[in-house]
Amino acid sequence: MGRVSGRKRQDDGADLRRPEDVRSPALVCCGFLLKIYLGATFDGNSSDPMLRLNDILERVRSYHPNADLDLIKKAYVYSARAHEGQVRKSGEPYLIHPLEVSGILAEMKLDEHAVAAGILHDTVEDTDATTEEIEQLFGKQVAEIVEGVTKLSTIPYTTTHEKTAENFRRMLVAMTKDIRVILVKLADRLHNMRTLDHMAPDKVERIARETLEIYAPLANRLGMFWVKSSLEDLALEHLHPADFKQISEKLEATAKSRRTYIEDVKATLLRKLQEGEVPAEVSGRVKHVYSIWRKMKAQSLDFEQVPDILAFRVITDDVGHCYQALGLCHATWRPVPGRFKDFIAMPKPNGYQSLHTTVIGPEVQRVEIQIRTRAMHDTAERGIAAHWRYKEGRPAEGGDIQFSWLRQLMEWQRDLVDPTEFIATVKVDLFSDEVYVFTPKGEVKALTRGSTPIDFGYLIHSEIGHHCAGARVNGRLVPLRYRLRNGDTVEIMTSPTQHPSKDWLSFAKTARARARINGYLRKEQRDRAVSMGREILEREAKRYGRSLQKITRSGAFGDTAAFSRYPSEEDILAAVGYGRLRPTDVLKKVLPPEVFERGPTESEKPKSRLGQLFDAVARRSKSGVTVQGIDEMLVRFAKCCNPVPGDPIVGFVTRGRGITVHAVACEKALQLDLDRRIEVNWDSKASVPRSVQLRIVTDDRPGILATMSQAFSADGVNILNANCRARKDSLAVNMFMVSVRDAEQLRQVMKSIESIAGVHSIHRIGA
């Protein structure tokens, strides 16, 4: 295997050292093997015993008796030797991490190839091990999973944000080939979140936020509820520790009375089900902390005001019994109108099936009841992992519904060249709830909640979306902005003269529709740029006594070495049209040297309009931003996202206005043509304050405004403008325009404000 290199991980805080002597697994000493197979704890700073290999093997054997356990043992020995001498930030041997990851995969009841890949998942990234070596020793399946989880390390990207986005994109593409890739990654992320305390504060925040924005919703998309809820609670604990502690303490303080209540409801439910001759199991639980916190924030509620904290689950033998149980529940307690959902008749896109109802239970408390079969319950808890066939090494047919979303991912990654746009698109889709509508033929279609007929058209076919001229919903004409509701029957009317417009982006909701609209608009924009570039270059060529048509016929544009960034004539023309290339720079490369050096044939040599533009923008900028290393360009900041120093940024050439700087994740920036993109960076030597608008929702009480003002002052933030108004619900909305030094100062002051008693939410406007 060679020597371990000790490459540095970015997200789990490992201190990877280079041991002086690393031997092949085949030469491992007997004493070391004995330690592994007996599961002895390795020396380290942690007092917690390490998960034993035998524990994992027993767990796998319990659900997969015919598993090749030797493969897991072999992977363990290999990983132990590869990571020998490496430690985590906690001081624990690094081997603990891959071992715990494999244990989580065994909890998911995955096959031996996935469990082995979990043990090996960091070897290629953090040691001298190679994918080829993994394939030779453990087979193609294991090697492909490990490769899919391994992050990019050698490909250069403009920003860390862009590299992170491309890593995520690569992983999702690998996941569409083998779903076990994402399951290993989720297990990896779950253990990292459980051991995040030893990381630097800025990394803790970044990893926790990424977990909440990407990995928890992704687990939800795959139907893995226990993974989703665990990730959400862990992320909340690190992002909002005070809120997490407060809710946890209140749950603990009321635990005894709640247990009594749960037992009473369970007893009543079981008695009613037995009387109705419905065989069933009943369980009750408290919703997880993040779920309660999110409801408190969304509805501005105190803990005591949050409804539906308790949820009960009825598990029956078959679908008929599910509907019988529902009737008995409604006969026992009054149902809450509008709170019944039938996910058995219309399953969620991730395959989830259950009946959901909310009733007014004992003591006039709202109680949520979920009713499902045992098979549905297995799918609800384990998601796509419940559909794994061990012998064939592929999902069963029951898992096909989950793969429809993965097929969409493949389409998006082909259409969206920019990794930042891809991850933003996936984020939108991950977070969204669904609405279920019907085609005129009665087929059920799931769309993102808030979708419009435009989204429905693109769901059916891209061409139907492009030419959508109107829609009928339930037989009546509706505007294209109409928000579809559950149960609507939608019919799209098309016209060959109808085409997408920018206005559509203001009400298109689904990732598919927005990607298709953006693609069409960009092509249209590029065509205009090519036409403009041709006109500019033709005019400039005439000044040298040449024709652009003759230059093209001569094959001068075919010299790719001269235009390394623009491989075709159309690319060159587009770059001129966008203002990225000056026409004189193009002519210098395509005209004979003697012609270009002789200069324009006209007696007067006025500068072209584009030349005048570059003269106008080539002056000292006081923006604090450098453009491709040059700090003398006219720079303006986009009002849509209003970036501040420290935010990842990207620039776009804007004809007549120099460079417009957007935040990388800005929705409007994602709609702009990639050909206009230019590298921009914050000038580390400049100190230019930026104004930011904050929206703060608070209690409407005396003194809170003064307390917030003191918090701004304590963090060195100047208030430029304030607008405060009271609402009818005893809350107040406060709009502050403040001046900040950078993103770190902004984050600090937002944390300070958020910790004030009576502050319900704080948001940065335009971010």
Side-chain angles (χ1 to χ4, degrees), residues 476-496:
R476 64 184 181 88
L477 287 172
V478 297
L480 293 181
R481 292 178 177 272
Y482 172 84
R483 289 193 172 190
L484 299 174
R485 301 169 186 168
N486 277 322
D488 281 346
T489 298
V490 188
E491 181 184 357
I492 301 296
M493 297 178 291
T494 60
S495 168

Side-chain angles (χ1 to χ4, degrees), residues 128-196:
D128 276 346
T130 64
T131 304
E132 293 74 20
E133 188 175 31
I134 297 294
E135 182 174 349
Q136 182 182 2
L137 292 172
F138 302 99
K140 189 174 182 180
Q141 284 191 59
V142 174
E144 287 181 348
I145 297 171
V146 172
E147 185 179 29
V149 178
T150 301
K151 295 197 296 291
L152 300 170
S153 57
T154 57
I155 301 177
Y157 285 97
T158 303
T159 65
T160 302
H161 185 90
E162 191 176 73
K163 185 173 182 178
T164 302
E166 184 58 29
N167 275 320
F168 183 72
R169 175 197 189 115
R170 168 178 161 162
M171 182 187 65
L172 288 183
V173 172
M175 153 183 141
T176 59
K177 299 175 183 176
D178 191 329
I179 194 64
R180 290 172 293 184
V181 169
I182 194 59
L183 299 181
V184 172
K185 184 60 185 177
L186 286 174
D188 175 49
R189 179 52 61 108
L190 181 55
H191 184 250
N192 281 334
M193 288 299 296
R194 289 172 177 172
T195 57
L196 207 55

Side-chain angles (χ1 to χ4, degrees), residues 23 25-38:
R23 292 161 291 170
L27 301 177
V28 177
C29 67
C30 294
F32 184 74
L33 279 172
L34 187 61
K35 265 189 175 184
I36 290 176
Y37 289 122
L38 292 179

Side-chain angles (χ1 to χ4, degrees), residues 212-313:
L212 202 55
E213 292 181 356
I214 294 292
Y215 291 100
L218 188 55
N220 181 54
R221 268 289 179 176
L222 298 173
M224 308 184 71
F225 177 79
W226 74 272
V227 176
K228 164 189 172 283
S229 57
S230 297
L231 290 173
E232 286 175 340
D233 281 355
L234 288 164
L236 179 64
E237 185 177 5
H238 289 96
L239 289 173
H240 303 282
D243 289 350
F244 183 87
K245 183 180 179 183
Q246 181 187 41
I247 295 172
S248 298
E249 288 176 348
K250 288 188 175 183
L251 286 174
E252 183 64 30
T254 57
K256 186 176 180 181
S257 61
R258 204 166 41 247
R259 278 196 296 268
T260 302
Y261 187 89
I262 288 173
E263 290 304 316
D264 290 345
V265 172
K266 280 174 59 179
T268 303
L269 260 177
L270 280 170
R271 188 176 67 254
K272 293 293 182 180
L273 291 167
Q274 287 169 359
E275 290 172 0
E277 298 182 349
V278 176
E281 299 171 9
V282 179
S283 61
R285 63 177 177 86
V286 180
K287 293 188 176 179
H288 64 292
V289 177
Y290 177 79
S291 175
I292 297 171
W293 176 84
R294 189 174 63 173
K295 191 166 288 189
M296 288 171 62
K297 290 295 181 181
Q299 301 177 26
S300 299
L301 302 173
D302 292 330
F303 175 83
E304 292 74 18
Q305 298 173 308
V306 177
D308 306 351
I309 285 183
L310 297 178
F312 290 84
R313 189 167 293 145

